[in-house]
């Protein structure tokens, strides 16, 4: 894997941390993986109606990190539409970088980064 992509992933994670941008994920395993990377403002979708989640967000910007599979893509597009109607900006820089990797499940992100860093060492 390209070391440059791993560095960019880590940069984007750091920006999300520093700017305290909420990150929306599908489930608790996704949340756990992101917490291991130092993120703390994480919102889990599982079991919540999308409209209620969107209405509860009181931020001008959010990151949506649904999985990169078909279901995750569908959720992402629905959330993107709902948030844009409410004037909430979607920060999708990290998500777009993930498409350049082989990773498709957010719950594996922390292990993926650690493995790629070991290979590069």
């Amino acid at each position: 894997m390209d070391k440059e992509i791993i560095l960019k992933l880590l940069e984007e994670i750091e920006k999300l941390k520093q700017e305290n941008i909420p990150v929306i994920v599908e489930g608790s395993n996704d949340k756990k993986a992101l917490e291991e990377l130092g993120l703390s403002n994480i919102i889990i979708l599982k079991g919540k109606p999308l409209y209620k989640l969107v209405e509860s967000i009181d931020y001008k910007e959010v990151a949506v990190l649904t999985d990169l599979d078909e279901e995750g893509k569908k959720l992402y597009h629905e959330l993107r539409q709902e948030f844009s109607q409410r004037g909430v900006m979607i920060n999708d820089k990290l998500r777009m970088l993930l498409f350049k990797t082989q990773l498709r499940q957010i719950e594996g992100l922390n292990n993926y980064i650690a493995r790629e860093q070991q290979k590069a060492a």
Side-chain angles (χ1 to χ4, degrees):
M1 174 48 49
D2 189 7
K3 284 194 285 187
E4 189 176 321
I5 291 176
I6 296 300
L7 289 175
K8 286 180 181 179
L9 286 171
L10 293 171
E11 273 178 35
E12 288 306 320
I13 290 166
E14 194 57 38
K15 285 179 190 174
L16 292 172
K17 282 193 274 190
Q18 290 191 358
E19 296 173 22
N20 198 34
I21 295 171
V23 180
I24 298 170
V25 297
E26 290 181 57
S28 56
N29 289 338
D30 301 329
K31 180 179 179 179
K32 184 179 177 205
L34 294 179
E35 286 173 340
E36 289 176 13
L37 291 168
L39 289 165
S40 59
N41 195 359
I42 304 166
I43 300 163
I44 299 174
L45 269 174
K46 191 167 188 122
K48 296 177 188 164
L50 291 185
Y51 77 93
K52 279 194 175 187
L53 172 85
V54 171
E55 288 174 359
S56 74
I57 300 294
D58 194 23
Y59 289 89
K60 291 182 173 150
E61 181 177 356
V62 296
V64 177
L65 272 187
T66 54
D67 291 340
L68 307 179
D69 57 12
E70 286 308 310
E71 182 64 25
K73 288 177 187 176
K74 181 181 172 204
L75 269 172
Y76 171 80
H77 289 291
E78 289 175 28
L79 285 166
R80 185 176 181 84
Q81 184 176 11
E82 291 285 331
F83 279 123
S84 68
Q85 288 175 356
R86 294 182 57 84
V88 177
M89 189 178 102
I90 300 288
N91 179 326
D92 57 7
K93 293 174 188 163
L94 182 57
R95 182 179 175 81
M96 292 301 115
L97 281 170
L98 290 174
F99 276 108
K100 296 180 180 181
T101 71
Q102 295 175 352
L103 189 69
R104 291 297 170 254
Q105 306 296 319
I106 301 304
E107 66 187 54
L109 182 58
N110 57 333
N111 291 332
Y112 177 79
I113 289 174
R115 196 170 46 246
E116 292 301 322
Q117 285 177 318
Q118 274 186 330
K119 285 182 192 176

